[in-house]
Amino acid sequence: MAALTLVTFDGGDVNIARGTLFDCPAEFLTNSQIEFYSSCEPGWSRCPIGYQVYVAFDALGRKVAVPGIYVRSEKAPRRKFPNYALHFEKNAVQNFLEPHLVVSDTIRNQRNIEFRNLTHDLRAISTEIYHTAVSAREHPVAQRDRDLQEQIESIMAAQQMMSVRLDIVDYEVGHALHRPPERIPVFRKVEKVYKCFWNKMAHRKIKHRLSGNSFGFTVGPPILEIVPFVIIENAIKYAPQGSELVIAFEELDKEIYVYFESLGPRIRGRERSRIFEQTFRGRPPAHRSGVGRGSDFMLLRKSWGISFAAAY
């Protein structure tokens, strides 16, 4: 609740909190007015019907607007509303909004605490999945049945990838920035990711093989798996049924090389310069589903290579 009307923009959502003491007329909350407020830069602006609007960002990054302000030091608005002749000083409006922005910071801190608790719970569940799979793998039946053995291997690999994803969240929010770097067995990490996609590749009838080997280590944060995960996931997503995914290892000159090769749609020229931009996506797969559209769609043999400095 607030004394003045507040309009909050949170992504694509708009929330209007009517003022409990000074509620602005409905004319200030029409679709065109709301669109105007959403386009305003932080600070003071004059809306199309002549009144001032004050805009600021709260601690959660949401835009908050106080509409329908008749500022004493400014000329009178050209449109008058019955029983709405309240005058405000700019600093009074800014002081009014300030505590609302600070409250949002408290909400953000509470969300962070809840998120850490959720992460802890997910880790506990993940550990149970892993130990259950280990127990099943050691069961005599699993040892006699190769198909079941591969299923269990895939479950274990997928579970470990869930832990990696949680680790990445820790790094993104700063909880793990001070962890010391670790010695990482590159081949074992890539092999683990490869195994977690066995079922998906079987479902799409994609042949696959892992060739070469490496006994080398590299040094860094324990989230290396995300690199091959993104490459393999995209390769499977765009590869046609019946094609093949090949992963190959090679060690040369104190470097560990990993190569990925698959069949998939060509990357358009204007997309190539942006493929490493965060959040950028090319045309959706549905737009690439038709074979035989000339230059608009073409299946090409694509290769990706990544290298890691070997640590001895």
Side-chain angles (χ1 to χ4, degrees):
M1 298 175 61
L4 301 179
T5 299
L6 298 178
V7 182
T8 303
F9 300 90
D10 187 5
D13 297 324
V14 180
N15 179 58
I16 300 174
R18 306 301 291 261
T20 56
L21 295 180
F22 309 109
D23 192 11
C24 63
E27 286 82 351
F28 291 101
L29 303 174
T30 63
N31 290 337
S32 60
Q33 286 291 112
I34 297 296
E35 185 175 354
F36 173 79
Y37 303 148
S38 70
S39 66
C40 289
E41 296 293 331
W44 288 94
S45 302
R46 185 179 295 275
C47 76
I49 53 180
Y51 285 74
Q52 296 276 355
V53 55
Y54 180 67
V55 172
F57 284 93
D58 67 13
L60 297 176
R62 303 176 300 183
K63 179 182 286 188
V64 182
V66 186
I69 304 299
Y70 184 174
V71 179
R72 288 177 179 171
S73 59
E74 304 284 345
K75 66 178 182 178
R78 56 183 175 81
R79 184 173 178 181
K80 301 295 192 303
F81 296 91
N83 302 319
Y84 190 74
L86 299 173
H87 295 192
F88 296 92
E89 297 288 351
K90 284 187 174 180
N91 63 343
V93 175
Q94 294 171 201
N95 291 338
F96 153 77
L97 187 59
E98 189 62 31
H100 294 278
L101 305 179
V102 174
V103 167
S104 295
D105 193 39
T106 303
I107 296 173
R108 181 183 62 180
N109 292 335
Q110 183 61 36
R111 285 183 179 178
N112 286 341
I113 293 172
E114 293 173 356
F115 182 77
R116 286 197 293 271
N117 291 337
L118 174 62
T119 302
H120 177 271
D121 293 341
L122 286 174
R123 288 188 190 280
I125 295 170
S126 175
T127 300
E128 290 300 318
I129 294 172
Y130 178 77
H131 288 304
T132 301
V134 170
S135 177
R137 184 179 60 179
E138 295 173 351
H139 194 276
V141 174
Q143 295 174 7
R144 295 195 302 266
D145 190 332
R146 179 171 178 79
D147 291 337
L148 180 57
Q149 180 80 1
E150 290 185 354
Q151 290 282 342
I152 294 171
E153 292 281 355
S154 183
I155 291 171
M156 293 173 61
Q159 175 278 325
Q160 291 173 50
M161 276 306 307
M162 186 167 67
S163 293
V164 171
R165 293 297 294 163
L166 292 173
D167 285 338
I168 291 170
V169 172
D170 282 346
Y171 278 96
E172 288 176 341
V173 299
H175 298 321
L177 293 179
H178 301 294
R179 289 183 186 173
E182 299 180 8
R183 284 170 54 86
I184 303 169
V186 179
F187 181 87
R188 282 168 47 194
K189 296 293 187 182
V190 174
E191 183 186 36
K192 179 179 70 178
V193 177
Y194 166 64
K195 287 181 177 180
C196 85
F197 286 106
W198 278 354
N199 285 336
K200 191 170 185 178
M201 287 188 285
H203 178 71
R204 300 209 57 225
K205 297 181 173 60
I206 295 176
K207 302 174 184 176
H208 53 89
R209 56 189 171 92
L210 177 64
S211 64
N213 206 330
S214 169
F215 299 97
F217 290 76
T218 191
V219 175
I223 53 175
L224 179 145
E225 293 95 322
I226 194 60
V227 178
F229 182 89
V230 171
I231 295 175
I232 296 174
E233 182 185 39
N234 278 278
I236 297 171
K237 182 189 302 182
Y238 293 103
Q241 289 194 10
S243 60
E244 184 180 37
L245 170 66
V246 177
I247 305 173
F249 272 82
E250 187 178 22
E251 279 195 47
L252 293 171
D253 300 325
K254 297 183 180 180
E255 294 282 335
I256 303 169
Y257 295 90
V258 190
Y259 304 97
F260 303 84
E261 186 175 289
S262 65
L263 193 65
R266 69 183 180 89
I267 302 175
R268 292 160 60 91
R270 60 175 173 268
E271 296 176 346
R272 291 176 187 168
S273 61
R274 303 187 61 193
I275 58 177
F276 293 109
E277 289 184 20
Q278 190 174 17
T279 73
F280 172 74
R281 294 178 63 87
R283 287 184 302 165
H287 295 171
R288 295 173 163 171
S289 59
V291 180
R293 296 182 182 174
S295 60
D296 186 55
F297 185 90
M298 184 184 300
L299 290 175
L300 298 174
R301 178 65 61 181
K302 299 187 299 183
S303 297
W304 296 86
I306 52 177
S307 64
F308 302 92
Y312 298 100

